[in-house]
């Protein structure tokens, strides 16, 4: 396995954009090419596109060759589109990493993109039902908000977690999002503001939920032999893991406040890299809802089970705490364009390690970071690890 680095990263503004799907792809592509000015796009031999539902949101299929055409890339090795709902972008990164690590590719491009807002918003909204098991969960209205509301209710019942602690997640991520010029929402909020926003699915209010969003992000990955041609600050991909429980909510293991799949994925990653949660300096996690981040603290091992609410209340997930979580503002501030989210998290890692972020959200001295995505009703979990050090140099 060869060492693999991210040598370039580019992003669009996330939000409700008038830009088309095609526009978003080209905007992110231009941004990443501008970031690696000495890269000849003829050297890009592989392309991996993360996109969840372009067939329904923009009525376009066969999207990977389309992206290659839009960006002027003649792929000679591997071209693929990845779809695992909310983890589609991170899956694209993982497959690109594996292609370069195994020698199948030397320089690969990853593009994550989603255009979720359109004039057919009934289609956009109803398409989210497809992420669950449509025949069983979807027809009963069991979409993401009621599912994560049930997770929150169970966690509150079992561990005493409060609505105020949920709101603190949004407050933290909005503080960092207000300092991210690419985020959809760039405004700080208070606990009172979160609690007073419109109820969506008790106990989750509107501000406990991430938004339907348009956006794109792109990366250039290169082998160790080629990486130094393009940058003096490569960000090394150390590894990635996946774990899936089921596609049907009633077949999930354990109760809703225990995400067994995430715990298994985290343990696999730590074992693979011979690290522990204490070694992690920063984490981009999948805060599609505020309760998600609280469970992720616990299952990733940042705190003991049931103490996620206490963890945020004591400020341990802020920069300067035990581990900086979502210093880019998370999904709650950036929004959640499904195929782009995992790639945006990697973009954040690159910017942090380079020191190219506002000082108010800069994790000074960070050397190791992880990014976590879930998809479906928290059945699939995907984690990638990034560092300024190569895997063989990890201490």
């Amino acid at each position: 396995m060869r060492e693999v680095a991210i040598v370039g990263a580019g992003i669009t503004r996330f939000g409700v954009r008038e830009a088309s799907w095609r526009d978003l792809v080209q905007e992110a592509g231009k941004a990443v090419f501008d970031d690696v000015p000495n890269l000849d796009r003829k050297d890009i031999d592989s392309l991996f596109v993360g996109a969840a539902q372009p067939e329904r949101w923009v009525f376009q299929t066969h999207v990977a060759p389309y992206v290659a055409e839009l960006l002027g890339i003649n792929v000679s090795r591997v071209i693929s589109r990845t779809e695992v709902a909310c983890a589609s972008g991170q899956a694209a990164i993982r497959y690109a990493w594996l292609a370069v690590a195994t020698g199948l590719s030397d320089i690969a491009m990853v593009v994550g993109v989603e255009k979720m807002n359109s004039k057919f918003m009934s289609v956009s909204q109803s398409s989210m039902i497809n992420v669950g098991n449509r025949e069983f969960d979807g027809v009963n209205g069991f979409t993401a908000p009621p599912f994560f509301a049930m997770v929150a209710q169970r966690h509150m019942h079992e561990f005493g977690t409060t609505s105020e602690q949920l709101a603190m997640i949004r407050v933290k991520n909005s503080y960092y999002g207000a300092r991210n010029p690419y985020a959809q929402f760039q405004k700080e909020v208070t606990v009172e503001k979160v609690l007073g926003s419109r109820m969506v699915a008790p106990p989750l209010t509107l501000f406990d939920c991430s938004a339907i969003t348009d956006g794109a992000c792109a990366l250039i990955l290169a082998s160790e032999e080629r990486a130094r041609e393009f940058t003096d600050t490569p960000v090394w991909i150390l590894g990635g893991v996946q774990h899936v429980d089921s596609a049907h909510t009633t077949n999930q293991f354990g109760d809703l406040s225990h995400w067994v799949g995430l715990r298994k994925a985290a343990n696999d990653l730590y074992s693979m890299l011979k690290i522990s949660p204490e070694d992690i300096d920063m984490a981009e996690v999948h805060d599609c809802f505020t309760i998600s981040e609280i469970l992720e603290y616990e299952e990733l091992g940042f705190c003991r089970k049931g103490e996620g609410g206490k963890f945020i209340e004591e400020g341990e997930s802020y920069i300067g705490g035990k581990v900086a979580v979502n210093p880019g503002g998370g999904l709650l501030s950036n929004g959640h364009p499904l195929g782009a989210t995992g790639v945006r998290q990697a973009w954040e890692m690159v910017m942090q390690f380079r020191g190219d972020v506002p000082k108010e959200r800069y994790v000074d001295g960070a050397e190791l970071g992880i990014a976590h995505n879930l998809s479906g009703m928290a059945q699939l979990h995907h984690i990638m690890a990034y560092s300024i050090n190569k895997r063989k140099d990890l201490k």
Side-chain angles (χ1 to χ4, degrees):
M1 295 281 283
R2 300 192 295 183
E3 300 278 0
V4 182
I6 301 174
V7 299
I11 195 170
T12 72
R13 172 74 186 269
F14 281 27
V16 180
R17 298 285 307 274
E18 292 187 10
S20 68
W21 191 92
R22 170 191 176 122
D23 294 337
L24 293 169
V25 168
Q26 293 187 313
E27 189 178 332
K30 181 180 186 304
V32 78
F33 290 139
D34 287 347
D35 192 53
V36 196
N38 59 334
L39 171 67
D40 188 333
R41 66 188 68 189
K42 293 179 181 178
D43 289 336
I44 299 172
D45 57 42
S46 301
L47 172 65
F48 298 83
V49 178
Q53 293 197 73
E55 292 87 354
R56 289 184 62 84
W57 282 318
V58 297
F59 310 105
Q60 177 68 55
T61 190
H62 202 225
V63 295
Y66 186 31
V67 170
E69 180 181 84
L70 290 172
L71 299 181
I73 303 169
N74 294 313
V75 178
S76 59
R77 301 274 185 90
V78 187
I79 186 166
S80 180
R81 176 261 184 111
T82 58
E83 188 284 302
V84 276
C86 308
S88 297
Q90 197 170 82
I93 299 172
R94 187 175 190 229
Y95 301 157
W97 162 65
L98 287 169
V100 177
T102 57
L104 187 59
S105 171
D106 291 318
I107 300 176
M109 186 173 190
V110 174
V111 177
V113 56
E114 217 72 68
K115 172 72 179 177
M116 300 174 73
N117 290 279
S118 74
K119 61 182 179 181
F120 306 109
M121 283 306 291
S122 60
V123 174
S124 297
Q125 301 261 4
S126 62
S127 293
M128 292 301 295
I129 295 174
N130 298 338
V131 173
N133 186 314
R134 189 178 182 92
E135 287 184 290
F136 294 92
D137 299 334
V139 295
N140 292 304
F142 200 47
T143 57
F147 170 79
F148 285 93
M150 289 176 64
V151 172
Q153 290 168 12
R154 181 64 195 179
H155 205 271
M156 288 173 159
H157 171 76
E158 191 169 353
F159 302 114
T161 307
T162 67
S163 293
E164 287 76 12
Q165 289 170 336
L166 296 179
M168 290 174 189
I169 298 291
R170 181 61 190 251
V171 170
K172 172 182 67 70
N173 293 351
S174 292
Y175 174 83
Y176 294 130
R179 290 148 181 85
N180 182 350
Y182 299 99
Q184 180 172 5
F185 304 108
Q186 299 177 30
K187 186 176 181 180
E188 293 185 48
V189 299
T190 63
V191 168
E192 292 73 24
K193 184 77 171 178
V194 177
L195 295 176
S197 62
R198 179 169 57 85
M199 186 60 68
V200 174
L204 301 178
T205 68
L206 183 65
F207 283 13
D208 284 304
C209 311
S210 60
I212 289 177
T213 307
D214 310 328
C217 196
L219 307 172
I220 302 294
L221 276 59
S223 64
E224 181 179 5
E225 294 77 12
R226 302 293 306 274
R228 296 293 181 181
E229 296 178 27
F230 307 112
T231 181
D232 294 328
T233 55
V235 172
W236 302 97
I237 300 178
L238 303 181
V241 296
Q242 291 175 311
H243 187 87
V244 63
D245 287 335
S246 69
H248 195 298
T249 305
T250 57
N251 290 335
Q252 285 183 269
F253 302 113
D255 68 57
L256 294 177
S257 62
H258 293 258
W259 287 355
V260 177
L262 176 52
R263 195 179 319 137
K264 289 181 177 178
N267 289 338
D268 285 349
L269 183 74
Y270 299 152
S271 177
M272 174 195 298
L273 301 179
K274 297 179 173 59
I275 62 173
S276 70
E278 288 72 25
D279 297 315
I280 297 168
D281 300 306
M282 59 181 171
E284 285 284 314
V285 304
H286 198 97
D287 59 320
C288 48
F289 298 88
T290 51
I291 185 60
S292 306
E293 185 166 321
I294 284 180
L295 263 76
E296 287 149 4
Y297 295 158
E298 299 169 1
E299 307 298 9
L300 289 167
F302 298 152
C303 64
R304 288 188 293 184
K305 190 64 195 174
E307 295 186 357
K310 179 181 176 183
F311 196 75
I312 180 63
E313 191 168 3
E314 294 180 348
E316 294 286 17
S317 54
Y318 276 86
I319 295 172
K322 186 175 180 181
V323 56
V325 180
N326 285 332
L331 284 63
L332 290 167
S333 288
N334 286 277
H336 183 24
L338 272 61
T341 286
V343 189
R344 179 199 60 78
Q345 291 175 326
W347 172 88
E348 177 68 23
M349 293 287 169
V350 173
M351 296 301 112
Q352 286 283 350
F353 287 133
R354 287 182 183 176
D356 289 342
V357 297
K359 63 180 182 179
E360 296 90 348
R361 65 180 190 87
Y362 175 49
V363 187
D364 191 15
E367 295 186 8
L368 175 61
I370 64 169
H372 162 256
N373 286 143
L374 61 81
S375 59
M377 303 304 175
Q379 295 111 332
L380 185 148
H381 295 276
H382 197 302
I383 314 174
M384 298 290 294
Y386 304 95
S387 179
I388 59 172
N389 301 309
K390 299 176 188 176
R391 180 169 171 172
K392 61 187 178 183
D393 295 330
L394 261 187
K395 295 181 180 179

